[in-house]
């Protein structure tokens, strides 16, 4: 394997692009190309390579200070060299597995990804193994609850708190014991709690200003960057935050240069609003009921699904307004409701439907995508700019349908044109990927939390820090 060296603070590899690694190998083996929303192209990655910031100037006051600085620099170089060597071994193992279609066992194997739903099953499996071996995350300890280290554990934003709680658990195998062991650093801010405890009650239009949110996060990063060397060493490239709130992407809007390399793990993965699949991670939006880790699974066998397509939800956003205009209460095959009568059960209706419509709301993401998968219902993505979760690994076109917003009037025609054998294949693959969208506590191998971590791992092995 070629020796990649780096004399600048940050380099995103234009050659071994592991974010696209599975996609490129997939096409090499004559498999279908990825859907437009799943992964960027090689050309787009090259064009988005960030310019490294200038290294900080060092002022020497005396020989003792100079010697201490040189010793510190040597230790840092040794630390980065050791880390990059371990990452290089991981890259080589993944590359070998992808090309040979084999993998190196790591522990007692109970699951192996197979079939066309994966871009490259062997590469994915080996990558997950390498992640389990060496991937560590340090959560900064600064900050107090409820704004930091605490997030919502239930309802529409529940995945934010569940992820944060898992990562800060003493039992989490990916938690670093000390910051020097970490490959990524977690900024444990809860956007939902900031809005709940800082913003509310809203008293005027000015109350919606994002200034306070942006200021809180920027101040926190200033604190940890003065106390620790890690942010400044990478310009934030090995740091991340997690949020499912619609406001989260706007944290970086106040100072784009400062957050240029910062990884954002977001439900609102809208590529038209600054989400970059090369750097950012799409977080599945999961409705987490109280006392449960997900909705009940009431799906029927394909033969017992009498409804062609189903949707029920609020009139949130332009996409749903268009959907309601054309389909609300107008068709028995394409059943679209704003609010269901109390006599009807939402989850049962999804379980009786062949296709479940997943239109964007105020933002691109919707919990209906995961709800559809839980119900064994083929998701119909109605959005133009949604970067779907786990698109580096999963071939979404195999188990879902994408309908552009402009073709909403044609929903029935499009879905009826799908032959029954093709629908049955998609439905079977929906059942196969349920594992990857299941929330477990503690997390389990290949479940939704591990899949999110794996998406972060892919982006980490795709950058080299200073040597």
């Amino acid at each position: 394997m070629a020796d990649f060296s780096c004399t600048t603070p940050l380099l995103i590899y234009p050659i071994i692009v592991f974010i696209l690694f599975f996609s490129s190998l997939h096409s090499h083996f004559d498999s279908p190309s990825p859907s437009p929303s799943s992964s960027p192209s090689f050309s787009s990655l090259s064009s988005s390579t960030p310019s490294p910031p200038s290294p900080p100037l060092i002022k020497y006051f005396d020989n003792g200070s100079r010697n201490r600085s040189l010793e510190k620099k040597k230790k840092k170089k040794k630390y980065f060299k050791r880390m990059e060597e371990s990452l290089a071994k991981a890259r080589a193992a993944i590359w070998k597995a992808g090309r040979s279609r084999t993998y190196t066992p790591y522990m007692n194997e109970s699951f192996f990804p197979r079939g066309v739903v994966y871009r490259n099953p062997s590469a994915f499996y080996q990558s997950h193994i390498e992640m389990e071996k060496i991937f560590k995350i340090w959560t900064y300890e600064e900050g107090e609850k409820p704004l930091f280290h605490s997030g919502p554990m239930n309802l529409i934003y529940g995945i934010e708190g569940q992820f944060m709680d898992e990562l800060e658990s003493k039992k989490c195998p990916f938690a670093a014991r000390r910051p020097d062991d970490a490959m990524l650093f977690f900024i444990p801010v809860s956007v939902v709690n900031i809005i709940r405890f800082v913003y509310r009650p809203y008293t005027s239009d000015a109350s919606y200003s994002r200034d306070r949110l942006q200021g809180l996060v920027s101040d926190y990063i200033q604190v940890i960057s003065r106390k620790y060397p890690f942010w400044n060493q990478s310009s934030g490239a090995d740091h991340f935050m997690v949020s499912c709130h619609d406001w989260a992407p706007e944290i970086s809007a106040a100072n784009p240069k400062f957050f240029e390399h910062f990884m954002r793990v977001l439900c609102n993965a809208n590529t038209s609003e600054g989400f970059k699949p090369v750097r950012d991670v799409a977080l599945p939006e999961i409705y987490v009921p109280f006392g449960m880790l997900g909705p009940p699974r009431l799906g029927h066998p394909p033969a017992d699904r009498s409804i062609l397509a189903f949707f029920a939800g609020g009139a949130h956003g332009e996409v749903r307004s268009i959907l309601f205009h054309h389909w609300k209460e107008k068709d028995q095959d394409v059943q679209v409701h704003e609010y269901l009568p109390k006599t009807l059960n939402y989850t049962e209706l999804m379980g009786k439907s062949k296709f479940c419509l997943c239109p964007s709301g105020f933002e691109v993401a919707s919990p209906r995508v995961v709800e559809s998968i839980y119900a064994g219902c083929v998701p119909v993505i109605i959005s133009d700019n949604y970067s779907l979760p786990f698109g580096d690994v999963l071939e979404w076109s195999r188990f879902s349908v994408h309908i552009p917003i402009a073709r909403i009037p044609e929903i029935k025609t499009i879905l009826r044109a799908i032959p029954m054998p093709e629908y049955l294949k998609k439905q079977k693959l929906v059942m196969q990927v349920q594992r990857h969208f299941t929330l477990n506590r503690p997390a389990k191998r290949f479940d939704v939390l591990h899949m999110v971590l794996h998406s972060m791992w892919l982006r980490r092995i795709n950058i080299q820090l200073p040597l």
Side-chain angles (χ1 to χ4, degrees):
M1 188 173 183
D3 180 26
F4 292 92
S5 62
C6 177
T7 58
T8 57
L10 175 67
L11 174 67
I12 297 182
Y13 286 96
I15 300 173
I16 305 180
V17 187
F18 275 90
I19 294 174
L20 291 176
F21 181 67
F22 304 118
S23 179
S24 63
L25 286 174
H26 199 64
S27 59
H28 176 80
F29 288 95
D30 298 322
S31 298
S33 58
S35 59
S37 62
S38 60
S39 298
S41 64
F42 279 99
S43 59
S44 67
L45 180 57
S46 299
S47 64
S48 65
T49 303
S51 301
S54 300
L57 297 175
I58 300 176
K59 185 176 182 180
Y60 298 105
F61 295 96
D62 53 43
N63 287 337
S65 176
R66 179 189 178 97
N67 290 336
R68 285 193 298 272
S69 296
L70 289 173
E71 186 65 27
K72 191 175 181 181
K73 196 172 183 180
K74 281 184 180 179
K75 287 183 179 180
K76 186 175 77 170
K77 188 173 182 179
K78 186 177 181 181
Y79 160 72
F80 279 126
K81 183 179 180 181
R82 185 176 69 251
M83 181 177 294
E84 292 305 321
E85 285 175 352
S86 64
L87 289 172
K89 290 179 181 178
R91 294 186 194 104
I94 298 167
W95 180 267
K96 180 180 178 181
R99 294 299 294 252
S100 65
R101 296 283 168 156
T102 60
Y103 66 95
T104 304
Y106 174 52
M107 57 177 64
N108 293 329
E109 313 294 349
S110 59
F111 166 76
F112 178 77
R114 301 180 188 277
V116 296
V117 77
Y118 300 101
R119 297 189 181 281
N120 187 300
S122 299
F124 166 45
Y125 197 77
Q126 189 67 48
S127 179
H128 197 282
I129 288 173
E130 299 302 321
M131 177 184 76
E132 290 177 290
K133 288 180 181 178
I134 64 174
F135 191 40
K136 298 295 179 183
I137 298 171
W138 173 259
T139 301
Y140 284 109
E141 297 174 346
E142 286 68 23
E144 297 181 1
K145 296 180 179 181
L147 305 188
F148 301 92
H149 303 284
S150 175
M153 301 287 285
N154 300 100
L155 306 181
I156 195 170
Y157 302 126
I159 189 67
E160 176 181 312
Q162 295 287 346
F163 184 93
M164 189 179 297
D165 189 64
E166 175 73 22
L167 203 55
E168 297 206 42
S169 167
K170 294 180 180 179
K171 296 181 179 180
C172 179
F174 299 102
R177 293 184 178 181
R178 57 194 185 107
D180 285 342
D181 296 332
M183 293 182 175
L184 281 181
F185 298 85
F186 180 32
I187 305 295
V189 59
S190 171
V191 176
V192 174
N193 282 354
I194 288 176
I195 292 168
R196 178 183 177 189
F197 294 104
V198 176
Y199 277 80
R200 293 178 179 170
Y202 306 120
T203 56
S204 65
D205 290 343
S207 299
Y208 292 90
S209 170
R210 311 300 196 256
D211 292 351
R212 285 176 287 175
L213 171 63
Q214 293 164 342
L216 275 166
V217 178
S218 294
D219 289 348
Y220 185 90
I221 293 175
Q222 292 290 350
V223 169
I224 58 101
S225 65
R226 291 191 184 106
K227 188 174 181 179
Y228 306 98
F230 308 110
W231 176 279
N232 295 326
Q233 286 173 175
S234 67
S235 296
D238 54 358
H239 287 61
F240 72 96
M241 61 166 286
V242 176
S243 182
C244 211
H245 197 278
D246 298 348
W247 288 16
E250 299 185 50
I251 286 175
S252 55
N255 193 343
K257 187 68 177 175
F258 183 69
F259 289 101
E260 182 179 4
H261 311 304
F262 184 54
M263 183 191 302
R264 303 173 305 166
V265 183
L266 305 172
C267 288
N268 186 17
N270 190 334
T271 56
S272 70
E273 296 179 356
F275 183 90
K276 296 182 179 180
V278 168
R279 175 197 67 197
D280 301 323
V281 172
L283 181 67
E285 190 167 309
I286 302 177
Y287 186 90
V288 184
F290 287 98
M292 302 173 63
L293 291 176
R297 305 192 181 190
L298 304 177
H300 290 240
D304 295 336
R305 294 176 179 262
S306 57
I307 303 170
L308 177 64
F310 170 76
F311 173 81
H316 304 152
E318 181 182 356
V319 177
R320 294 190 189 180
S321 295
I322 298 171
L323 179 68
F324 287 157
H325 173 73
H326 290 281
W327 295 104
K328 180 182 173 182
E329 313 290 354
K330 293 182 179 180
D331 196 285
Q332 283 298 109
D333 293 325
V334 180
Q335 296 190 16
V336 174
H337 311 271
E338 186 167 358
Y339 293 105
L340 283 175
K342 292 182 179 180
T343 55
L344 298 177
N345 182 288
Y346 174 81
T347 306
E348 287 182 359
L349 287 172
M350 292 189 86
K352 294 178 181 178
S353 302
K354 291 182 172 68
F355 299 93
C356 289
L357 306 181
C358 305
S360 297
F362 289 125
E363 302 297 343
V364 291
S366 167
R368 281 162 188 79
V369 176
V370 175
E371 288 172 348
S372 299
I373 292 171
Y374 283 2
C377 183
V378 177
V380 179
I381 313 298
I382 306 177
S383 175
D384 291 345
N385 302 296
Y386 185 20
S387 182
L388 293 162
F390 319 140
D392 309 303
V393 170
L394 299 179
E395 185 64 79
W396 276 85
S397 63
R398 296 285 190 170
F399 64 95
S400 68
V401 177
H402 176 246
I403 295 182
I405 296 170
R407 299 191 67 186
I408 286 177
E410 305 171 55
I411 286 176
K412 187 171 182 177
T413 303
I414 292 170
L415 297 181
R416 275 190 164 177
I418 297 174
M420 180 57 70
E422 183 179 345
Y423 159 72
L424 292 174
K425 288 179 182 178
K426 286 182 181 291
Q427 199 275 337
K428 184 177 180 179
L429 293 176
V430 166
M431 302 301 291
Q432 184 178 341
V433 300
Q434 281 183 349
R435 169 192 297 269
H436 303 311
F437 293 89
T438 298
L439 178 62
N440 295 303
R441 296 299 313 277
K444 296 180 181 180
R445 301 182 77 206
F446 300 101
D447 72 356
V448 68
L449 294 179
H450 271 221
M451 291 293 286
V452 174
L453 287 165
H454 182 259
S455 294
M456 294 160 55
W457 155 254
L458 285 180
R459 283 146 183 80
R460 176 60 186 89
I461 63 175
N462 201 45
I463 61 173
Q464 182 176 4
L465 298 181
L467 298 176

